[in-house]
Amino acid sequence: MIQILSRYGVLFILTLLVLTAMSFSLVYLFPGDVLENLTGIVPQNEIQREALMRQFRLDQPYIVQFFYYLSSLLQGDWGYSLASGLPLREEIGIAMPATIELSAYAMLMALFVGIPLGYYAGLKSYSTTDHTINALSITTYSFPVFWLALILILFFSLHLDIAPLSGRISLLFDIKPVTGFVLIDIMLAEGIDHGLAYRDAISHLALPTVAIGAITTASMVRITRRSVIDVIHRPYIVAARSRGVSEWQIFFRHVLRNALLPILPLMAIQITTLITNAMIVETLFSWPGIGSWLIQAIYQRDFPALRVGMLAVSTLVITLTIMVDLFNRIIDPSREKYERATV
Amino acid sequence: MPMLDIKNLTLEMVDGDTTIKALDKVNLTVNTGEIRALVGESGSGKSLIVSAICGALPSQWRMTADRMSWNGENLLSMSKYQRREVMRRDIAVVFQNPQTSLDPSATLGEQLEESIPDEFVEGYWFWQRAQHRKRIAISTVHKVGIKQHKHYLNAYPHQIPSDIGQKFMIAMALVSQPKLLIADDPTRGMEPTTKTQILKLFTRLNQTRSLSILFVSHDLLAIASMSHSMTVLYAGQTVESGKMKHIKKRPLHPYTKALLDSAPSFRKDLPPKSQLPTLGGSIPTLQHLPIGCRLGPRCPRAQRACVSRPAVRYIHDHTYNCHFPLHMEKL
């Protein structure tokens, strides 16, 4: 157990190091001044420039520069935005939870809708129900996410007028960002009508969540279905059936767990797609998340923001991926022992 | 009356525009308290018969049979629930490959306890029942010759050697105290010592509990000593069937004779360093099965009549399917 944890820990740290190195190299690869790219501070005169160069070790070899960069990242000094002049850490601290919140709900939707549907389709494999579910999921899966989001806006916001067009919560509610997650912040806020605020926040959340979640749900259905079909044709299911074990017991004792094991690593792959989709949908719904924030940074050629934003998003993706992988490693007994030798 | 009685079992699969008859009018009976050997080369449809009996045929097979009955009850017209009850209480199956027939994500103990019928478990509260289940599991495991129950009941299938796995499969089959045990090539790929242990276990079970066993194998030597009667299968057709001692003494079908001749231990008069007699050619593939008697192209006694399927003929309880059997030398 400790060995597993340490191995995944080392993997995590090494991956982050490589990412940091890439983010550092961006300082030199971006057009423009290296100092400005690194710090986000525009020096007013030569003396200030010299001082900054010395402070950020830019007069020393790359390796020293890199380690200074690393240590300042760890200390929370992520540089300043060229566009707004605010510390990047604060800006990301506000934008990131919004994205995490949105993706988390979309992932929950995929888990609680996609996996049961996939199980159902897999158990009824090659029947009409199965074909219907499968056809629907393929159709949904092949929608481009921006198109789906626009259609949702067009239909629900403009035609039916039941959901707001954009934003996170109505400006009438004065909610301080404490945790950054709007549903928790509402709970913490004082002096507002909580019920109304929740209704408003959820109606804001619904459309972007559905837009992101639909595609992940569809792929979840397909992955689960395939996995279930694979498992129900394994010899141990036939063996269990020949022992007269009832269908329910076969499902709960043998199919459920064995079908879930191969799904988990594929879920880790889905996280990347999910966050990419989240970034696109955020822009369309003006959701104040990291995606729209990064796109703003691209428009404004805010290179320090891009550099740190990229690092933050990839750290999030890698953390989640490694956590899912670790979880899978822990619950799968067949990977437990004798990893490199057979008995 | 035979316990398990199968008459004219035919299994077909539609493959494009042709139908493949994997089993062609197979007859098989198992009497109470006997060990019946089902012998045939690989691909002769032995395992298909086993899956047909336990109702686990893949959906692409079409099954027809004149009779398939268990203790007088028709297995073909049974409801799904009744069929499951028969499988749960009366018939138990030991499959070929223990490693794939055990769920890789559950411990052996869990899987063994799952096969214990609820009627056997005493106790009112669930913890009492769980305890009793565990006791039953341990005693069953001891019966099949596994001593370190603590270690193996908590092990996962990938952690155990394959002979322990096979013994576990047997334990899982025996825990419901069945009347018929179907053993589908249980000693495949085992070393002789473990093989002997398992065969001895079967013989003992047959003698002490009068358990009927349908022993499916291609290992003639192993089963000749323990089984009472034998059914020989060739390419999905029953070739000969009868008491073991009759068949051993005087096989009537050319295939049975070839089969027995190819095993040197059945021939006392075999001179040293002589070549073992074999039939020319090899078993036909399912796509190119000969018409009539399927042994036809390889049979040394084949004549024109062999293109039509021979009817079942009897000499007492010895049956054979051949137009020109060995005891009619004049033909």
Side-chain angles (χ1 to χ4, degrees):
Chain A
M1 187 68 197
I2 292 167
Q3 200 196 352
I4 300 171
L5 282 179
S6 55
R7 278 180 62 183
Y8 275 88
V10 169
L11 176 69
F12 181 62
I13 290 166
L14 283 181
T15 320
L16 282 191
L17 261 182
V18 172
L19 274 175
T20 322
M22 282 169 74
S23 132
F24 175 70
S25 67
L26 282 181
V27 169
Y28 285 90
L29 296 175
F30 277 143
D33 187 17
V34 173
L35 181 70
E36 281 175 30
N37 284 347
L38 183 62
T39 60
I41 305 166
V42 184
Q44 300 303 320
N45 48 42
E46 277 307 307
I47 302 162
Q48 195 190 355
R49 185 179 189 85
E50 282 293 313
L52 280 172
M53 290 282 263
R54 256 198 312 285
Q55 191 201 333
F56 285 94
R57 311 288 195 275
L58 282 179
D59 45 355
Q60 284 174 28
Y62 290 132
I63 191 86
V64 181
Q65 291 176 32
F66 173 66
F67 277 106
Y68 182 75
Y69 175 63
L70 194 63
S71 70
S72 58
L73 275 184
L74 289 176
Q75 281 159 18
D77 177 16
W78 294 2
Y80 294 87
S81 164
L82 273 184
S84 64
L86 290 170
L88 286 169
R89 188 159 173 241
E90 269 174 37
E91 294 214 329
I92 290 177
I94 293 171
M96 197 59 138
T99 302
I100 295 177
E101 190 175 30
L102 198 57
S103 328
Y105 297 143
M107 198 69 198
L108 285 180
M109 175 180 158
L111 291 182
F112 285 103
V113 180
I115 291 187
L117 261 184
Y119 267 104
Y120 187 73
L123 290 177
K124 304 255 173 227
S125 51
Y126 307 117
S127 66
T128 320
T129 336
D130 171 42
H131 287 312
T132 316
I133 293 176
N134 206 14
L136 277 178
S137 75
I138 290 176
T139 318
T140 321
Y141 187 67
S142 34
F143 286 152
V145 65
F146 56 86
W147 181 83
L148 185 64
L150 286 176
I151 290 292
L152 285 176
I153 291 177
L154 185 73
F155 193 70
F156 289 101
S157 304
L158 299 180
H159 275 259
L160 296 179
D161 199 21
I162 49 173
L165 201 59
S166 65
R168 215 173 169 197
I169 189 158
S170 169
L171 291 173
L172 294 172
F173 299 101
D174 179 28
I175 289 161
K176 284 194 191 68
V178 184
T179 54
F181 299 96
V182 76
L183 293 188
I184 301 173
D185 283 346
I186 292 175
M187 199 172 69
L188 297 174
E190 284 165 13
I192 54 164
D193 185 342
H194 285 88
L196 275 179
Y198 268 120
R199 264 181 63 186
D200 189 63
I202 287 170
S203 69
H204 275 92
L205 260 173
L207 287 190
T209 310
V210 169
I212 305 167
I215 287 162
T216 314
T217 309
S219 60
M220 225 52 178
V221 169
R222 279 155 53 71
I223 293 168
T224 317
R225 173 182 174 270
R226 192 66 254 161
S227 170
V228 170
I229 292 178
D230 275 350
V231 167
I232 55 175
H233 289 113
R234 294 272 170 82
Y236 52 82
I237 300 295
V238 175
R241 203 163 278 151
S242 80
R243 288 198 299 272
V245 180
S246 71
E247 292 296 318
W248 277 109
Q249 281 191 328
I250 287 178
F251 177 72
F252 280 112
R253 294 225 174 114
H254 302 296
V255 177
L256 194 64
R257 185 168 32 187
N258 282 304
L260 216 52
L261 287 177
I263 298 175
L264 275 171
L266 293 171
M267 227 169 83
I269 299 172
Q270 287 295 317
I271 290 173
T272 329
T273 326
L274 185 80
I275 289 184
T276 319
N277 284 343
M279 290 166 78
I280 297 168
V281 168
E282 272 169 15
T283 322
L284 290 169
F285 282 94
S286 316
W287 185 267
I290 192 89
S292 48
W293 184 78
L294 271 178
I295 286 175
Q296 284 304 313
I298 292 174
Y299 281 141
Q300 294 164 346
R301 300 182 184 278
D302 188 349
F303 297 120
L306 270 181
R307 172 176 55 78
V308 177
M310 161 248 154
L311 189 60
V313 172
S314 42
T315 308
L316 175 71
V317 170
I318 281 168
T319 316
L320 289 176
T321 312
I322 287 190
M323 264 160 54
V324 173
D325 237 20
L326 178 67
F327 180 64
N328 185 46
R329 177 74 182 70
I330 289 168
I331 62 163
D332 188 353
S334 62
R335 287 170 68 186
E336 200 168 46
K337 275 177 191 168
Y338 314 125
E339 234 177 10
R340 292 182 187 77
T342 48
V343 216
Chain B
M1 193 181 69
M3 218 173 180
L4 180 73
D5 189 3
I6 298 175
K7 190 159 191 221
N8 289 347
L9 172 69
T10 304
L11 276 187
E12 287 165 317
M13 181 164 59
V14 182
D15 177 38
D17 48 354
T18 54
T19 350
I20 294 168
K21 250 189 197 172
L23 290 183
D24 186 14
K25 297 194 173 172
V26 170
N27 298 318
L28 179 73
T29 53
V30 181
N31 292 318
T32 314
E34 78 166 354
I35 301 182
R36 157 83 58 171
L38 182 61
V39 187
E41 287 168 73
S42 8
S44 57
K46 295 172 305 212
S47 296
L48 275 177
I49 297 184
V50 174
S51 2
I53 295 171
C54 55
L57 274 178
S59 54
Q60 65 263 36
W61 292 102
R62 208 172 59 228
M63 183 171 86
T64 44
D66 288 355
R67 183 167 66 225
M68 190 160 162
S69 62
W70 168 253
N71 276 339
E73 291 170 68
N74 190 351
L75 282 174
L76 293 169
S77 61
M78 258 183 197
S79 72
K80 229 177 169 178
Y81 176 75
Q82 283 171 314
R83 186 75 191 255
R84 202 169 67 219
E85 277 303 293
V86 169
M87 290 312 299
R88 192 168 73 88
R89 292 307 315 273
D90 296 338
I91 306 179
V93 191
V94 177
F95 284 98
Q96 260 180 18
N97 195 342
Q99 301 293 0
T100 58
S101 305
L102 290 167
D103 182 344
S105 69
T107 62
L108 294 172
E110 276 172 51
Q111 297 184 53
L112 179 57
E113 282 172 33
E114 164 192 286
S115 343
I116 304 173
D118 281 339
E119 303 88 282
F120 294 179
V121 188
E122 289 163 10
Y124 183 73
W125 295 102
F126 68 91
W127 61 85
Q128 291 171 325
R129 294 177 73 83
Q131 248 177 2
H132 193 228
R133 263 176 210 281
K134 188 143 201 194
R135 276 205 304 278
I136 296 178
I138 291 172
S139 75
T140 318
V141 161
H142 284 174
K143 259 175 221 158
V144 296
I146 299 173
K147 290 190 187 75
Q148 305 99 316
H149 62 261
K150 215 171 247 166
H151 177 237
Y152 285 123
L153 282 175
N154 293 322
Y156 286 96
H158 65 277
Q159 297 170 326
I160 54 163
S162 67
D163 63 316
I164 297 283
Q166 195 56 271
K167 283 178 183 169
F168 245 98
M169 293 298 293
I170 297 170
M172 277 157 89
L174 292 179
V175 79
S176 59
Q177 302 184 357
K179 298 187 181 73
L180 171 69
L181 180 74
I182 301 174
D184 187 359
D185 212 351
T187 56
R188 179 162 123 157
M190 278 189 191
E191 62 229 67
T193 38
T194 19
K195 194 154 98 181
T196 322
Q197 272 180 23
I198 285 178
L199 294 180
K200 266 189 186 157
L201 177 70
F202 279 138
T203 321
R204 204 172 59 232
L205 286 167
N206 174 251
Q207 285 161 357
T208 55
R209 289 205 206 168
S210 76
L211 174 74
S212 315
I213 299 176
L214 176 64
F215 198 98
V216 184
S217 179
H218 51 242
D219 186 1
L220 255 187
L221 206 66
I223 48 182
S225 54
M226 61 181 275
S227 48
H228 307 122
S229 53
M230 175 155 96
T231 298
V232 185
L233 217 61
Y234 177 80
Q237 286 181 330
T238 16
V239 159
E240 193 168 358
S241 162
K243 287 263 180 293
M244 192 73 203
K245 56 181 181 202
H246 294 157
I247 292 182
K248 235 160 97 176
K249 200 165 138 200
R250 194 181 64 161
L252 298 179
H253 197 284
Y255 179 70
T256 321
K257 187 168 165 46
L259 197 67
L260 292 172
D261 282 349
S262 67
S265 4
F266 292 110
R267 306 262 315 263
K268 292 188 186 70
D269 53 338
L270 198 71
K273 297 199 177 176
S274 62
Q275 225 173 20
L276 288 171
T278 48
L279 284 182
S282 57
I283 30 170
T285 58
L286 279 177
Q287 285 79 20
H288 301 100
L289 289 169
I291 53 162
C293 174
R294 288 181 178 175
L295 187 63
R298 298 175 70 189
C299 184
R301 300 168 66 85
Q303 293 177 37
R304 181 181 284 182
C306 292
V307 293
S308 66
R309 199 180 180 285
V312 188
R313 300 194 208 178
Y314 297 86
I315 301 178
H316 302 299
D317 53 354
H318 191 154
T319 66
Y320 60 95
N321 297 28
C322 188
H323 294 290
F324 309 106
L326 293 166
H327 64 294
M328 295 183 177
E329 283 298 336
K330 276 156 278 173
L331 284 166

